Amino acid sequence: MLRSYFTIALRNLWKHRLFTAINIFGLASGLTVCLLAITHIRTAFTYDTFHPNPERIYRVLTDVEDKGSNLTAFATSPMPLAPLLTRDYALAEKMTRFTRVYGDVDVNHKRLDAMSYAVDPDFFSMFGFRIRSGSPATAPNTVVLTDETAKRFFGKANPIGQTVRIGDLPPMTVTGILADDHRNSHLRFDLLMSLNGANANARKYLNDWTNYAGGYTYVRLKPNTPAITFDRILTDISASICRTTQFPYAKRYSFRSQPLTSISPAFKELAFSTYEPQIGGLSVEMAVGLVTLLLAGFNYVNLTLARSLSRAREVGIRKVSGAVRWQLIGQFMAESVVLSVLALLLAFVFLQLVTPMPFVQQWLVKGATWDLSLFSLFVSFALLAGLLAGFVPARILSSFEPAQVLRSQTGLKVIKGISLRKSLIVAQFTISLIAMIGLLTMIRQHRFMASSNYGFRTERVLSIPLGGVPYQRLANDLKTVAGVEELSPLSVMLADHGGDNHTMVRRNRSATDSVGTMSISADAGFIPAMGLHLVAGQNLPVSHRDSSGRLVLVNQEMVKALKLGDARDAVGKTIWLNDSTDVQIAGVIADFRYATMAWAIMPLLIQYEPGRFHYLNVTVAKDADTQVLADVKRIWKKLAPYESFDGQWYTDYLDQRHSHNDDIFFMSLLVGLALSIACLGLLGMVTYNTTLRIKEVGIRKVLGAKVGELVWLLSWDFVRLLLISSVIAFPLGTLLGYAFLLSFAYHVSIGIETLGGCLGLLLLIGSLTIGWRTYRVAQTNPANSLRAE
């Protein structure tokens, strides 16, 4: 029986090849997106399984209650906690801390970016990160690099024994190289330095119980030690600390343990979380895949029911011949299973095409293991999708009564006379239009961030990363270049993530109302070079004698935050930085967007600290950019012959920083798939509808109807469905767009340029789909269409 089911199924699919091709392409597209999401979700559940005894490893979390009685869960904990547990309690087999160390890495006079962390010696035996060569960084002033980082820092040279320097810390010796064979971990890093031998400032930080965001604490319990015992100890410790400690920004906190095996995926978002996938993001990925697959399922249901007349007669004859309903359901389900298998094969081809894309590599398949279990999951999911897609038409078609269907009375209606097929078409194009509105909103916002007026000069500004080149020497050489207008060393790139240093500022040392501010290091050339406006006071001194940076500039937002009155009142006042350094306000500059558009303008402090200079901005005269760039490259080659020149125009930087072309391309591909699935379904419906009405078209042509009138007659019902889809999609798409824009302090609006553009594109593609087929039918010779009558 099964053999006959599949034989008949193959014959039916081959007989209706257009419908079969539409269904296979649609299901394959939906399966491709779902399989990518399944790969990522499955990978999320395999994080940190390569460590020895992962079931006994716990991370300590901190629940912090602030002054307003709001409770926030932190993935971090105070740094003194681990030594206390080791010293006073015997339940831990191993213990380690994992804390971020900020600052660029100096390697052979080159300054490079790296994710640097400091760890205790037990880190290398507690976790399963394999040392490929050398030894762990357990001694003071030692460091280990990942294999990829070692190649980036030292090329083909042997890094063992080489020296690196992180920020202002003492030089460190490379003792080992970590293999890059375990990427599925919530911990990510480029290098690990030893926490042993910390200097006086670091020791003060390591003994600070008030800093609950200090680092991450991991404990491997002894065998047969229950986690509840560990939690009781953590509760007692936090209660004892809260009784004797004054917290500057919180009422109290408490500790609790989190099993390593439950970190990924994260079902609850934590402050200062690590790199574990969030369940919300995974849900969105799966939802996108299921929606795409649902559109393809709509196609299958729609096209199957569109052929309901011919299939209904088949059902009637089979029932008269003695077939029971479950046998008919089995026949229709066999067709859907065959389709799903063919679609799965095509989906594997699509996977090979999209997997190399940067977005897919970065977010969906990074670290994925393609094994038999994953392929088995793919096959099972495809078969389930096929069975679900075939269930609705199988139930409907198998329910027809022979007496009705043999008289061609097979009207399929849902609520209030709206046909099921038309409802599905409306649903398909509604989803597609909502996705189009969301995508266009995203593209417009990214373009807005790339080309908007940030309040500082971006045209003809060349930004040069200094690396190991002394900025003063480079600046002196560039001053002689014709076409160079101004020079401005900076610690950060503007319009990125803000300043390079977060500073707490008070009006006086004993004040309790401190203000968090971003800090940028610059000199007197910053204001004229970047086209900024000084509201009150004076610029930073041109002389470099003020090496301590005691004179500072602040923005208007800082004046408001510190309640210093107006800009003139603020000039000359002394403020305290981090409770330890007093500085004097030399001037107040007008607010400008120095950070990303996601943030509102925040307090900003500009201070002269040459040690933090990482970039040199060069403003260039009009029509001199090409010659200046060539001269700058020549000077750079002379000063740093072995380092590449990485300077770029600020407009190019903003475009690269905010355009997100790879992400937009992948999302456009998803929307394109959804729209193409809907259009293919519409094409199938139009094809079937015009086939049924071909004799009507012939009669109308004989009676004098024109081609244009016939095209409109055949098309209007479908165009009306597109208009209904737009009426439903506009408010929902607008809500989706604004849900995305809410994460930006400065954003575009959703108006006629977005909604009208999406509607115009939908009507254009839909009309071409409808018009192409109806025009061909309207051109048919009536003699041919009426001959069979």
Side-chain angles (χ1 to χ4, degrees), residues 462-465 629 632-633 636-637 640 643-648:
L462 181 64
S463 182
I464 307 171
L629 181 59
V632 170
K633 288 181 177 179
W636 180 270
K637 190 69 174 176
E643 293 189 33
S644 61
F645 177 77
D646 298 322
Q648 59 180 336

Side-chain angles (χ1 to χ4, degrees), residues 48 67 94 102 112 202 398 449 452 522 529 573 576 633 681 684 689:
D48 297 300
K67 303 286 187 181
K94 291 184 182 296
Y102 292 94
L112 302 169
S398 64
M449 292 191 295
S452 181
K573 289 187 176 179
W576 285 83
K633 288 181 177 179
N689 185 67

Side-chain angles (χ1 to χ4, degrees), residues 588-620:
V588 178
I589 61 174
D591 288 335
F592 67 99
R593 299 183 185 119
Y594 62 89
T596 172
M597 289 283 187
W599 301 347
I601 295 176
M602 297 180 295
L604 175 66
L605 183 142
I606 302 168
Q607 190 175 18
Y608 177 73
E609 289 184 296
R612 290 167 54 194
F613 290 160
H614 294 164
Y615 301 91
L616 181 64
N617 289 334
V618 182
T619 60
V620 180

Side-chain angles (χ1 to χ4, degrees), residues 721-786:
L721 297 180
L722 298 183
L723 295 176
I724 294 173
S725 299
S726 65
V727 171
I728 299 173
F730 276 0
L732 297 178
T734 302
L735 288 176
L736 175 65
Y738 276 115
F740 168 73
L741 295 177
L742 282 176
S743 59
F744 298 92
Y746 308 98
H747 55 73
V748 297
S749 61
I750 301 177
I752 189 64
E753 67 283 344
T754 300
L755 301 180
C758 291
L759 177 61
L761 180 61
L762 179 71
L763 291 177
L764 175 63
I765 296 176
S767 299
L768 289 175
T769 304
I770 298 167
W772 170 72
R773 187 61 191 174
T774 53
Y775 180 77
R776 288 186 60 187
V777 173
Q779 289 281 64
T780 305
N781 189 337
N784 296 330
S785 60
L786 297 175

Side-chain angles (χ1 to χ4, degrees), residues 160 176 184 210 277 382 486 572 769:
I160 305 296
N184 294 340
T210 66
E486 300 286 348
T769 304

Side-chain angles (χ1 to χ4, degrees), residues 19 35 101 184 260 425 728 736 760:
F19 294 156
L35 297 186
V101 179
N184 294 340
L260 180 70
I425 289 177
I728 299 173
L736 175 65

Side-chain angles (χ1 to χ4, degrees), residues 284-336:
V284 170
E285 291 172 12
M286 197 66 213
V288 171
L290 289 177
V291 167
T292 310
L293 188 61
L294 184 65
L295 293 176
F298 284 175
N299 267 2
Y300 181 79
V301 174
N302 222 352
L303 296 179
T304 302
L305 294 181
R307 295 188 290 119
S308 59
L309 180 60
S310 59
R311 301 310 299 270
R313 289 174 178 169
E314 174 189 341
V315 169
I317 294 173
R318 285 178 178 274
K319 282 192 171 182
V320 170
S321 302
V324 294
R325 187 175 182 185
W326 68 266
Q327 292 174 320
L328 295 171
I329 291 177
Q331 172 63 59
F332 293 123
M333 297 296 278
E335 286 189 21
S336 64

